[in-house]
Tab-separated table of all heavy atoms in Angstrom:
chain	number	residue	atom	x	y	z
A	1	MET	N	-2.581	2.056	27.404
A	1	MET	CA	-1.846	1.138	26.580
A	1	MET	C	-2.350	1.201	25.127
A	1	MET	O	-3.541	1.168	24.939
A	1	MET	CB	-1.931	-0.246	27.137
A	1	MET	CG	-1.137	-1.276	26.370
A	1	MET	SD	-1.283	-2.841	27.248
A	1	MET	CE	0.079	-3.589	26.595
A	2	THR	N	-1.426	1.339	24.173
A	2	THR	CA	-1.796	1.484	22.759
A	2	THR	C	-1.740	0.071	22.143
A	2	THR	O	-0.965	-0.740	22.505
A	2	THR	CB	-0.839	2.391	22.059
A	2	THR	OG1	0.428	1.916	22.145
A	2	THR	CG2	-0.846	3.813	22.610
A	3	PRO	N	-2.614	-0.094	21.134
A	3	PRO	CA	-2.501	-1.404	20.359
A	3	PRO	C	-1.195	-1.485	19.681
A	3	PRO	O	-0.514	-0.528	19.413
A	3	PRO	CB	-3.612	-1.294	19.337
A	3	PRO	CG	-4.455	-0.120	19.785
A	3	PRO	CD	-3.683	0.745	20.643
A	4	ASP	N	-0.758	-2.737	19.417
A	4	ASP	CA	0.512	-2.936	18.807
A	4	ASP	C	0.579	-2.247	17.396
A	4	ASP	O	1.703	-1.815	17.043
A	4	ASP	CB	0.817	-4.401	18.559
A	4	ASP	CG	1.057	-5.124	19.945
A	4	ASP	OD1	1.437	-4.377	20.959
A	4	ASP	OD2	1.000	-6.314	20.048
A	5	SER	N	-0.424	-2.153	16.665
A	5	SER	CA	-0.426	-1.443	15.371
A	5	SER	C	-0.086	0.050	15.545
A	5	SER	O	0.178	0.710	14.537
A	5	SER	CB	-1.631	-1.713	14.557
A	5	SER	OG	-2.784	-1.219	15.323
A	6	GLN	N	-0.320	0.597	16.711
A	6	GLN	CA	-0.133	1.990	16.964
A	6	GLN	C	1.301	2.260	17.605
A	6	GLN	O	1.551	3.365	17.990
A	6	GLN	CB	-1.196	2.537	17.921
A	6	GLN	CG	-2.608	2.421	17.432
A	6	GLN	CD	-2.852	3.269	16.206
A	6	GLN	OE1	-2.347	4.386	16.082
A	6	GLN	NE2	-3.673	2.767	15.282
A	7	HIS	N	2.084	1.240	17.696
A	7	HIS	CA	3.409	1.344	18.300
A	7	HIS	C	4.302	2.360	17.555
A	7	HIS	O	4.166	2.524	16.312
A	7	HIS	CB	4.052	0.024	18.266
A	7	HIS	CG	5.278	-0.048	19.164
A	7	HIS	ND1	6.567	0.375	18.744
A	7	HIS	CD2	5.428	-0.463	20.448
A	7	HIS	CE1	7.376	0.228	19.769
A	7	HIS	NE2	6.774	-0.274	20.737
A	8	PRO	N	5.096	3.154	18.227
A	8	PRO	CA	5.902	4.177	17.591
A	8	PRO	C	6.836	3.605	16.523
A	8	PRO	O	7.268	4.303	15.608
A	8	PRO	CB	6.738	4.758	18.704
A	8	PRO	CG	5.930	4.574	19.907
A	8	PRO	CD	5.177	3.312	19.668
A	9	PHE	N	7.123	2.292	16.545
A	9	PHE	CA	8.013	1.654	15.549
A	9	PHE	C	7.358	1.768	14.204
A	9	PHE	O	8.088	1.932	13.193
A	9	PHE	CB	8.167	0.131	15.875
A	9	PHE	CG	8.876	-0.572	14.803
A	9	PHE	CD1	10.280	-0.596	14.749
A	9	PHE	CD2	8.216	-1.356	13.861
A	9	PHE	CE1	10.975	-1.261	13.756
A	9	PHE	CE2	8.894	-2.051	12.872
A	9	PHE	CZ	10.294	-1.998	12.876
A	10	PHE	N	5.996	1.821	14.125
A	10	PHE	CA	5.313	1.898	12.810
A	10	PHE	C	5.037	3.338	12.373
A	10	PHE	O	4.340	3.562	11.377
A	10	PHE	CB	3.969	1.131	12.881
A	10	PHE	CG	4.177	-0.362	12.997
A	10	PHE	CD1	3.821	-1.038	14.167
A	10	PHE	CD2	4.836	-1.073	12.040
A	10	PHE	CE1	3.967	-2.314	14.320
A	10	PHE	CE2	5.042	-2.423	12.147
A	10	PHE	CZ	4.567	-3.064	13.269
A	11	ARG	N	5.634	4.303	13.053
A	11	ARG	CA	5.429	5.762	12.672
A	11	ARG	C	5.901	6.023	11.228
A	11	ARG	O	5.169	6.633	10.485
A	11	ARG	CB	6.077	6.640	13.684
A	11	ARG	CG	5.910	8.155	13.296
A	11	ARG	CD	6.616	9.010	14.340
A	11	ARG	NE	5.847	10.273	14.318
A	11	ARG	CZ	5.021	10.639	15.264
A	11	ARG	NH1	4.795	9.850	16.342
A	11	ARG	NH2	4.386	11.735	15.181
A	12	PRO	N	7.064	5.618	10.913
A	12	PRO	CA	7.517	5.862	9.487
A	12	PRO	C	6.614	5.084	8.450
A	12	PRO	O	6.403	3.893	8.646
A	12	PRO	CB	8.924	5.394	9.342
A	12	PRO	CG	9.419	5.366	10.752
A	12	PRO	CD	8.228	4.991	11.594
A	13	LEU	N	6.162	5.740	7.454
A	13	LEU	CA	5.242	5.140	6.422
A	13	LEU	C	5.975	3.975	5.804
A	13	LEU	O	5.282	2.944	5.471
A	13	LEU	CB	4.906	6.098	5.389
A	13	LEU	CG	4.033	5.705	4.258
A	13	LEU	CD1	2.696	5.142	4.727
A	13	LEU	CD2	3.877	6.782	3.184
A	14	TRP	N	7.219	4.036	5.505
A	14	TRP	CA	7.939	2.947	4.815
A	14	TRP	C	7.920	1.637	5.545
A	14	TRP	O	7.758	0.556	4.959
A	14	TRP	CB	9.425	3.318	4.479
A	14	TRP	CG	10.261	3.317	5.633
A	14	TRP	CD1	10.668	4.341	6.377
A	14	TRP	CD2	11.054	2.273	6.172
A	14	TRP	NE1	11.546	4.061	7.328
A	14	TRP	CE2	11.849	2.761	7.240
A	14	TRP	CE3	11.135	0.866	5.809
A	14	TRP	CZ2	12.648	1.922	8.015
A	14	TRP	CZ3	12.007	0.088	6.559
A	14	TRP	CH2	12.720	0.559	7.649
A	15	ARG	N	7.815	1.697	6.882
A	15	ARG	CA	7.737	0.462	7.693
A	15	ARG	C	6.404	-0.228	7.502
A	15	ARG	O	6.213	-1.382	7.417
A	15	ARG	CB	8.042	0.675	9.125
A	15	ARG	CG	9.533	0.968	9.395
A	15	ARG	CD	9.808	1.127	10.827
A	15	ARG	NE	11.241	1.429	11.006
A	15	ARG	CZ	11.710	2.064	12.024
A	15	ARG	NH1	10.949	2.452	12.968
A	15	ARG	NH2	13.037	2.291	12.117
A	16	ARG	N	5.337	0.599	7.523
A	16	ARG	CA	4.001	0.056	7.353
A	16	ARG	C	3.816	-0.497	5.926
A	16	ARG	O	3.283	-1.565	5.766
A	16	ARG	CB	2.944	1.147	7.597
A	16	ARG	CG	2.948	1.500	9.075
A	16	ARG	CD	1.990	2.587	9.384
A	16	ARG	NE	2.632	3.886	9.246
A	16	ARG	CZ	2.044	4.994	8.723
A	16	ARG	NH1	0.767	4.938	8.399
A	16	ARG	NH2	2.754	6.054	8.605
A	17	VAL	N	4.398	0.210	4.926
A	17	VAL	CA	4.321	-0.330	3.576
A	17	VAL	C	5.090	-1.621	3.410
A	17	VAL	O	4.706	-2.518	2.793
A	17	VAL	CB	4.839	0.744	2.607
A	17	VAL	CG1	4.977	0.182	1.206
A	17	VAL	CG2	3.901	1.952	2.611
A	18	ALA	N	6.253	-1.697	4.110
A	18	ALA	CA	7.154	-2.917	4.082
A	18	ALA	C	6.386	-4.154	4.612
A	18	ALA	O	6.461	-5.223	4.090
A	18	ALA	CB	8.402	-2.685	4.774
A	19	VAL	N	5.571	-3.926	5.721
A	19	VAL	CA	4.904	-5.053	6.277
A	19	VAL	C	3.822	-5.585	5.325
A	19	VAL	O	3.695	-6.814	5.108
A	19	VAL	CB	4.277	-4.675	7.659
A	19	VAL	CG1	3.286	-5.725	8.171
A	19	VAL	CG2	5.348	-4.389	8.643
A	20	VAL	N	3.109	-4.663	4.711
A	20	VAL	CA	2.080	-5.072	3.761
A	20	VAL	C	2.754	-5.701	2.502
A	20	VAL	O	2.281	-6.743	2.069
A	20	VAL	CB	1.191	-3.863	3.286
A	20	VAL	CG1	0.306	-4.179	2.224
A	20	VAL	CG2	0.452	-3.327	4.573
A	21	ALA	N	3.826	-5.129	2.003
A	21	ALA	CA	4.527	-5.700	0.938
A	21	ALA	C	5.069	-7.123	1.234
A	21	ALA	O	4.986	-8.018	0.354
A	21	ALA	CB	5.673	-4.858	0.458
A	22	ALA	N	5.583	-7.311	2.385
A	22	ALA	CA	6.042	-8.654	2.807
A	22	ALA	C	4.905	-9.740	2.850
A	22	ALA	O	5.116	-10.834	2.354
A	22	ALA	CB	6.727	-8.634	4.167
A	23	CYS	N	3.804	-9.294	3.324
A	23	CYS	CA	2.626	-10.195	3.292
A	23	CYS	C	2.209	-10.574	1.904
A	23	CYS	O	1.878	-11.689	1.582
A	23	CYS	CB	1.476	-9.602	4.059
A	23	CYS	SG	1.690	-9.532	5.808
A	24	LEU	N	2.198	-9.570	1.013
A	24	LEU	CA	1.784	-9.808	-0.344
A	24	LEU	C	2.847	-10.668	-1.131
A	24	LEU	O	2.420	-11.518	-1.837
A	24	LEU	CB	1.575	-8.483	-1.068
A	24	LEU	CG	0.381	-7.615	-0.641
A	24	LEU	CD1	0.383	-6.251	-1.354
A	24	LEU	CD2	-0.939	-8.363	-0.910
A	25	PHE	N	4.093	-10.462	-0.814
A	25	PHE	CA	5.174	-11.249	-1.409
A	25	PHE	C	4.991	-12.667	-0.936
A	25	PHE	O	5.155	-13.685	-1.752
A	25	PHE	CB	6.491	-10.716	-1.018
A	25	PHE	CG	7.659	-11.456	-1.628
A	25	PHE	CD1	7.934	-11.458	-2.930
A	25	PHE	CD2	8.482	-12.252	-0.832
A	25	PHE	CE1	9.012	-12.177	-3.484
A	25	PHE	CE2	9.540	-12.994	-1.258
A	25	PHE	CZ	9.751	-12.898	-2.625
A	26	TRP	N	4.704	-12.873	0.325
A	26	TRP	CA	4.538	-14.219	0.919
A	26	TRP	C	3.384	-14.921	0.273
A	26	TRP	O	3.435	-16.063	-0.162
A	26	TRP	CB	4.328	-14.068	2.408
A	26	TRP	CG	4.033	-15.465	3.076
A	26	TRP	CD1	4.424	-16.665	2.767
A	26	TRP	CD2	3.204	-15.645	4.295
A	26	TRP	NE1	3.947	-17.633	3.642
A	26	TRP	CE2	3.210	-16.987	4.517
A	26	TRP	CE3	2.537	-14.730	5.139
A	26	TRP	CZ2	2.524	-17.525	5.630
A	26	TRP	CZ3	1.851	-15.234	6.205
A	26	TRP	CH2	1.856	-16.614	6.447
A	27	ALA	N	2.265	-14.141	0.032
A	27	ALA	CA	1.109	-14.726	-0.640
A	27	ALA	C	1.460	-15.190	-2.082
A	27	ALA	O	1.026	-16.259	-2.494
A	27	ALA	CB	-0.025	-13.739	-0.654
A	28	ALA	N	2.235	-14.383	-2.750
A	28	ALA	CA	2.595	-14.718	-4.168
A	28	ALA	C	3.405	-15.905	-4.186
A	28	ALA	O	3.205	-16.808	-5.037
A	28	ALA	CB	3.310	-13.504	-4.752
A	29	LEU	N	4.326	-16.064	-3.254
A	29	LEU	CA	5.172	-17.265	-3.187
A	29	LEU	C	4.321	-18.545	-2.889
A	29	LEU	O	4.522	-19.573	-3.523
A	29	LEU	CB	6.263	-17.136	-2.093
A	29	LEU	CG	7.429	-16.255	-2.399
A	29	LEU	CD1	8.363	-16.168	-1.193
A	29	LEU	CD2	8.197	-16.663	-3.562
A	30	GLU	N	3.442	-18.382	-1.959
A	30	GLU	CA	2.535	-19.546	-1.663
A	30	GLU	C	1.662	-19.959	-2.814
A	30	GLU	O	1.482	-21.188	-3.111
A	30	GLU	CB	1.698	-19.220	-0.433
A	30	GLU	CG	2.484	-19.055	0.889
A	30	GLU	CD	3.263	-20.272	1.288
A	30	GLU	OE1	3.039	-21.358	0.787
A	30	GLU	OE2	4.052	-20.102	2.201
A	31	PHE	N	1.140	-18.932	-3.569
A	31	PHE	CA	0.224	-19.243	-4.668
A	31	PHE	C	1.099	-19.879	-5.793
A	31	PHE	O	0.690	-20.835	-6.512
A	31	PHE	CB	-0.471	-18.085	-5.271
A	31	PHE	CG	-1.720	-17.790	-4.423
A	31	PHE	CD1	-1.798	-16.445	-3.778
A	31	PHE	CD2	-2.710	-18.597	-4.232
A	31	PHE	CE1	-2.836	-16.133	-2.995
A	31	PHE	CE2	-3.860	-18.291	-3.492
A	31	PHE	CZ	-3.938	-17.050	-2.881
A	32	ALA	N	2.354	-19.371	-5.983
A	32	ALA	CA	3.242	-19.974	-7.003
A	32	ALA	C	3.646	-21.413	-6.715
A	32	ALA	O	3.804	-22.194	-7.611
A	32	ALA	CB	4.444	-19.089	-7.123
A	33	ALA	N	3.747	-21.702	-5.383
A	33	ALA	CA	4.090	-23.040	-4.971
A	33	ALA	C	2.934	-23.996	-4.940
A	33	ALA	O	3.066	-25.195	-4.749
A	33	ALA	CB	4.791	-22.988	-3.601
A	34	GLY	N	1.735	-23.461	-5.208
A	34	GLY	CA	0.456	-24.296	-5.304
A	34	GLY	C	-0.196	-24.502	-3.920
A	34	GLY	O	-1.004	-25.349	-3.771
A	35	ALA	N	0.272	-23.706	-2.902
A	35	ALA	CA	-0.344	-23.779	-1.598
A	35	ALA	C	-1.363	-22.667	-1.389
A	35	ALA	O	-1.079	-21.664	-0.775
A	35	ALA	CB	0.755	-23.721	-0.514
A	36	SER	N	-2.548	-22.942	-2.000
A	36	SER	CA	-3.521	-21.882	-2.003
A	36	SER	C	-4.021	-21.498	-0.597
A	36	SER	O	-4.401	-20.365	-0.316
A	36	SER	CB	-4.703	-22.222	-2.965
A	36	SER	OG	-5.299	-23.370	-2.546
A	37	ALA	N	-4.135	-22.500	0.287
A	37	ALA	CA	-4.587	-22.189	1.656
A	37	ALA	C	-3.657	-21.190	2.335
A	37	ALA	O	-4.156	-20.217	2.947
A	37	ALA	CB	-4.716	-23.407	2.446
A	38	TRP	N	-2.350	-21.420	2.230
A	38	TRP	CA	-1.415	-20.431	2.794
A	38	TRP	C	-1.404	-19.117	2.059
A	38	TRP	O	-1.191	-18.092	2.669
A	38	TRP	CB	-0.004	-21.085	2.874
A	38	TRP	CG	0.094	-22.091	3.905
A	38	TRP	CD1	0.338	-23.444	3.749
A	38	TRP	CD2	0.050	-21.912	5.355
A	38	TRP	NE1	0.399	-24.104	4.917
A	38	TRP	CE2	0.259	-23.097	5.961
A	38	TRP	CE3	-0.112	-20.777	6.158
A	38	TRP	CZ2	0.232	-23.293	7.282
A	38	TRP	CZ3	-0.137	-20.941	7.473
A	38	TRP	CH2	0.055	-22.169	8.053
A	39	GLY	N	-1.638	-19.179	0.793
A	39	GLY	CA	-1.735	-17.945	-0.043
A	39	GLY	C	-2.898	-17.038	0.437
A	39	GLY	O	-2.774	-15.887	0.583
A	40	ILE	N	-4.074	-17.761	0.668
A	40	ILE	CA	-5.229	-17.035	1.146
A	40	ILE	C	-4.960	-16.441	2.564
A	40	ILE	O	-5.346	-15.308	2.859
A	40	ILE	CB	-6.448	-17.912	1.067
A	40	ILE	CG1	-6.831	-18.165	-0.355
A	40	ILE	CG2	-7.618	-17.282	1.886
A	40	ILE	CD1	-7.894	-19.259	-0.510
A	41	THR	N	-4.299	-17.262	3.337
A	41	THR	CA	-3.912	-16.786	4.732
A	41	THR	C	-3.026	-15.520	4.673
A	41	THR	O	-3.288	-14.533	5.407
A	41	THR	CB	-3.281	-17.888	5.546
A	41	THR	OG1	-4.122	-18.994	5.553
A	41	THR	CG2	-2.832	-17.467	6.952
A	42	ALA	N	-2.026	-15.535	3.809
A	42	ALA	CA	-1.150	-14.363	3.716
A	42	ALA	C	-1.875	-13.224	3.130
A	42	ALA	O	-1.662	-12.071	3.536
A	42	ALA	CB	0.022	-14.783	2.782
A	43	LEU	N	-2.797	-13.393	2.159
A	43	LEU	CA	-3.660	-12.325	1.654
A	43	LEU	C	-4.537	-11.725	2.773
A	43	LEU	O	-4.717	-10.500	2.840
A	43	LEU	CB	-4.477	-12.729	0.491
A	43	LEU	CG	-3.801	-12.877	-0.824
A	43	LEU	CD1	-4.828	-13.366	-1.899
A	43	LEU	CD2	-3.225	-11.543	-1.264
A	44	ALA	N	-5.027	-12.548	3.536
A	44	ALA	CA	-5.846	-12.088	4.720
A	44	ALA	C	-5.015	-11.239	5.688
A	44	ALA	O	-5.466	-10.164	6.176
A	44	ALA	CB	-6.514	-13.234	5.462
A	45	LEU	N	-3.821	-11.696	5.972
A	45	LEU	CA	-2.886	-10.927	6.785
A	45	LEU	C	-2.576	-9.580	6.127
A	45	LEU	O	-2.511	-8.520	6.828
A	45	LEU	CB	-1.601	-11.622	7.070
A	45	LEU	CG	-1.716	-12.834	8.027
A	45	LEU	CD1	-0.450	-13.637	8.092
A	45	LEU	CD2	-2.120	-12.382	9.411
A	46	ALA	N	-2.364	-9.554	4.799
A	46	ALA	CA	-2.086	-8.297	4.137
A	46	ALA	C	-3.301	-7.377	4.237
A	46	ALA	O	-3.157	-6.143	4.465
A	46	ALA	CB	-1.751	-8.600	2.676
A	47	ALA	N	-4.505	-7.928	4.078
A	47	ALA	CA	-5.688	-7.049	4.138
A	47	ALA	C	-5.834	-6.484	5.568
A	47	ALA	O	-6.094	-5.300	5.723
A	47	ALA	CB	-6.869	-7.929	3.750
A	48	TYR	N	-5.589	-7.294	6.552
A	48	TYR	CA	-5.682	-6.789	7.933
A	48	TYR	C	-4.585	-5.789	8.244
A	48	TYR	O	-4.905	-4.736	8.872
A	48	TYR	CB	-5.494	-8.036	8.896
A	48	TYR	CG	-5.604	-7.601	10.347
A	48	TYR	CD1	-6.822	-7.285	10.902
A	48	TYR	CD2	-4.517	-7.512	11.118
A	48	TYR	CE1	-6.929	-6.894	12.243
A	48	TYR	CE2	-4.567	-7.128	12.459
A	48	TYR	CZ	-5.802	-6.871	13.022
A	48	TYR	OH	-5.904	-6.473	14.323
A	49	ALA	N	-3.399	-5.941	7.685
A	49	ALA	CA	-2.391	-4.936	7.801
A	49	ALA	C	-2.792	-3.649	7.155
A	49	ALA	O	-2.482	-2.589	7.714
A	49	ALA	CB	-1.077	-5.511	7.262
A	50	VAL	N	-3.336	-3.694	6.004
A	50	VAL	CA	-3.755	-2.472	5.292
A	50	VAL	C	-4.845	-1.779	6.129
A	50	VAL	O	-4.784	-0.573	6.329
A	50	VAL	CB	-4.382	-2.817	3.897
A	50	VAL	CG1	-5.058	-1.575	3.330
A	50	VAL	CG2	-3.150	-3.235	2.960
A	51	TRP	N	-5.723	-2.531	6.695
A	51	TRP	CA	-6.784	-1.917	7.519
A	51	TRP	C	-6.219	-1.245	8.775
A	51	TRP	O	-6.542	-0.099	9.048
A	51	TRP	CB	-7.848	-3.009	7.918
A	51	TRP	CG	-8.827	-2.509	8.893
A	51	TRP	CD1	-8.941	-2.813	10.198
A	51	TRP	CD2	-9.899	-1.631	8.569
A	51	TRP	NE1	-9.985	-2.142	10.752
A	51	TRP	CE2	-10.642	-1.411	9.769
A	51	TRP	CE3	-10.413	-1.014	7.441
A	51	TRP	CZ2	-11.702	-0.613	9.883
A	51	TRP	CZ3	-11.491	-0.233	7.545
A	51	TRP	CH2	-12.158	-0.007	8.727
A	52	GLN	N	-5.276	-1.912	9.469
A	52	GLN	CA	-4.699	-1.423	10.637
A	52	GLN	C	-3.728	-0.223	10.430
A	52	GLN	O	-3.698	0.704	11.159
A	52	GLN	CB	-3.955	-2.498	11.438
A	52	GLN	CG	-4.897	-3.533	12.016
A	52	GLN	CD	-5.700	-2.848	13.185
A	52	GLN	OE1	-5.256	-2.120	13.983
A	52	GLN	NE2	-7.000	-3.204	13.214
A	53	PHE	N	-2.931	-0.376	9.315
A	53	PHE	CA	-1.850	0.617	9.154
A	53	PHE	C	-2.212	1.810	8.265
A	53	PHE	O	-1.548	2.819	8.270
A	53	PHE	CB	-0.591	-0.019	8.461
A	53	PHE	CG	0.067	-1.020	9.444
A	53	PHE	CD1	0.623	-2.173	8.933
A	53	PHE	CD2	0.177	-0.800	10.765
A	53	PHE	CE1	1.323	-3.086	9.785
A	53	PHE	CE2	0.841	-1.615	11.681
A	53	PHE	CZ	1.379	-2.781	11.178
A	54	PHE	N	-3.304	1.651	7.553
A	54	PHE	CA	-3.656	2.780	6.652
A	54	PHE	C	-5.027	3.396	6.879
A	54	PHE	O	-5.239	4.554	6.619
A	54	PHE	CB	-3.538	2.417	5.150
A	54	PHE	CG	-2.166	2.006	4.869
A	54	PHE	CD1	-1.739	0.691	4.657
A	54	PHE	CD2	-1.088	2.967	4.828
A	54	PHE	CE1	-0.501	0.270	4.379
A	54	PHE	CE2	0.204	2.562	4.518
A	54	PHE	CZ	0.516	1.222	4.332
A	55	PHE	N	-5.950	2.636	7.413
A	55	PHE	CA	-7.354	3.157	7.692
A	55	PHE	C	-7.533	3.584	9.126
A	55	PHE	O	-8.149	4.553	9.469
A	55	PHE	CB	-8.334	2.185	7.249
A	55	PHE	CG	-8.457	2.044	5.761
A	55	PHE	CD1	-7.934	0.947	5.118
A	55	PHE	CD2	-8.989	2.993	4.995
A	55	PHE	CE1	-7.977	0.764	3.771
A	55	PHE	CE2	-9.048	2.928	3.551
A	55	PHE	CZ	-8.564	1.763	2.940
A	56	ARG	N	-6.942	2.720	10.087
A	56	ARG	CA	-7.169	2.987	11.500
A	56	ARG	C	-5.952	3.638	12.179
A	56	ARG	O	-6.017	3.968	13.328
A	56	ARG	CB	-7.526	1.705	12.167
A	56	ARG	CG	-8.788	1.162	11.739
A	56	ARG	CD	-9.374	0.055	12.621
A	56	ARG	NE	-9.619	0.618	13.937
A	56	ARG	CZ	-9.437	0.004	15.070
A	56	ARG	NH1	-9.006	-1.205	15.102
A	56	ARG	NH2	-9.708	0.607	16.252
A	57	TYR	N	-4.813	3.710	11.525
A	57	TYR	CA	-3.596	4.261	12.127
A	57	TYR	C	-3.650	5.666	12.574
A	57	TYR	O	-4.049	6.530	11.705
A	57	TYR	CB	-2.356	4.005	11.148
A	57	TYR	CG	-1.095	4.412	11.775
A	57	TYR	CD1	-0.454	3.480	12.704
A	57	TYR	CD2	-0.479	5.593	11.492
A	57	TYR	CE1	0.744	3.812	13.273
A	57	TYR	CE2	0.736	5.910	12.073
A	57	TYR	CZ	1.345	5.042	12.959
A	57	TYR	OH	2.481	5.376	13.583
A	58	VAL	N	-3.341	5.957	13.786
A	58	VAL	CA	-3.199	7.297	14.252
A	58	VAL	C	-1.861	7.402	14.873
A	58	VAL	O	-1.487	6.715	15.799
A	58	VAL	CB	-4.291	7.638	15.361
A	58	VAL	CG1	-4.045	9.058	15.894
A	58	VAL	CG2	-5.660	7.399	14.853
A	59	PRO	N	-0.938	8.279	14.294
A	59	PRO	CA	0.366	8.361	14.817
A	59	PRO	C	0.421	8.761	16.247
A	59	PRO	O	-0.399	9.576	16.720
A	59	PRO	CB	1.084	9.411	13.950
A	59	PRO	CG	0.063	9.858	12.950
A	59	PRO	CD	-1.212	9.176	13.232
A	60	PRO	N	1.369	8.332	17.078
A	60	PRO	CA	1.532	8.758	18.464
A	60	PRO	C	1.792	10.230	18.543
A	60	PRO	O	2.432	10.811	17.698
A	60	PRO	CB	2.691	7.987	18.973
A	60	PRO	CG	3.141	7.021	17.868
A	60	PRO	CD	2.405	7.409	16.607
A	61	GLN	N	1.213	10.856	19.569
A	61	GLN	CA	1.367	12.312	19.793
A	61	GLN	C	2.759	12.548	20.278
A	61	GLN	O	3.335	11.838	21.137
A	61	GLN	CB	0.347	12.766	20.740
A	61	GLN	CG	-1.073	12.612	20.287
A	61	GLN	CD	-1.335	13.462	19.039
A	61	GLN	OE1	-0.865	14.583	18.924
A	61	GLN	NE2	-2.085	12.961	18.104
A	62	GLU	N	3.334	13.655	19.863
A	62	GLU	CA	4.639	14.080	20.322
A	62	GLU	C	4.363	14.777	21.635
A	62	GLU	O	3.444	15.563	21.825
A	62	GLU	CB	5.231	15.079	19.346
A	62	GLU	CG	5.621	14.487	17.966
A	62	GLU	CD	6.784	13.623	18.122
A	62	GLU	OE1	7.684	13.764	19.078
A	62	GLU	OE2	6.827	12.626	17.358
A	63	PRO	N	5.254	14.594	22.665
A	63	PRO	CA	5.091	15.288	23.895
A	63	PRO	C	5.292	16.749	23.742
A	63	PRO	O	6.233	17.185	23.027
A	63	PRO	CB	6.151	14.582	24.843
A	63	PRO	CG	7.071	13.980	23.925
A	63	PRO	CD	6.364	13.639	22.626
A	64	ASP	N	4.636	17.560	24.474
A	64	ASP	CA	4.854	18.966	24.436
A	64	ASP	C	6.001	19.333	25.380
A	64	ASP	O	5.939	19.095	26.573
A	64	ASP	CB	3.546	19.718	24.912
A	64	ASP	CG	2.432	19.649	23.924
A	64	ASP	OD1	2.750	19.374	22.677
A	64	ASP	OD2	1.258	19.721	24.283
A	65	ASN	N	7.011	19.919	24.809
A	65	ASN	CA	8.216	20.274	25.584
A	65	ASN	C	8.211	21.808	25.735
A	65	ASN	O	9.053	22.531	25.198
A	65	ASN	CB	9.484	19.828	24.938
A	65	ASN	CG	9.630	18.373	24.972
A	65	ASN	OD1	9.142	17.729	25.888
A	65	ASN	ND2	10.386	17.806	24.076
A	66	LYS	N	7.239	22.326	26.462
A	66	LYS	CA	7.177	23.809	26.668
A	66	LYS	C	7.940	24.098	27.932
A	66	LYS	O	7.608	23.741	29.048
A	66	LYS	CB	5.752	24.177	26.839
A	66	LYS	CG	4.905	24.008	25.518
A	66	LYS	CD	3.503	24.416	25.684
A	66	LYS	CE	2.753	24.177	24.442
A	66	LYS	NZ	1.355	24.551	24.568
A	67	GLU	N	9.000	24.925	27.721
A	67	GLU	CA	9.885	25.310	28.851
A	67	GLU	C	9.875	26.757	28.968
A	67	GLU	O	9.841	27.502	28.103
A	67	GLU	CB	11.285	24.732	28.599
A	67	GLU	CG	11.313	23.280	28.642
A	67	GLU	CD	12.708	22.726	28.376
A	67	GLU	OE1	13.668	23.462	28.520
A	67	GLU	OE2	12.796	21.592	28.073
């Protein structure tokens, strides 16, 4: 069983970037609204997403179709 961050859904780079961008956007909104605790939480989620999607990510292997 693979971790959720290794799911084939996240194979395209743009999807991993979009998740990180969404977290950063959420953090910016929270800081702009004056909710610093939620802003810090969203930044922590963005940092975790960067760690999982760019430093630890290993794309799923393609099956060998040798016929």
Side-chain angles (χ1 to χ4, degrees):
M1 181 174 200
T2 60
D4 288 341
S5 62
Q6 300 292 325
H7 193 277
F9 176 81
F10 293 114
R11 180 179 208 104
L13 177 63
W14 72 266
R15 288 184 181 155
R16 291 179 274 142
V17 170
V19 169
V20 172
C23 290
L24 292 173
F25 181 72
W26 177 30
L29 287 178
E30 294 296 348
F31 282 121
S36 60
W38 285 112
I40 291 170
T41 302
L43 280 179
L45 287 172
Y48 182 73
V50 167
W51 174 254
Q52 288 294 317
F53 291 144
F54 299 108
F55 290 105
R56 295 195 64 215
Y57 184 77
V58 177
Q61 297 295 322
E62 294 291 329
D64 290 337
N65 292 333
K66 295 181 181 177
E67 296 179 17

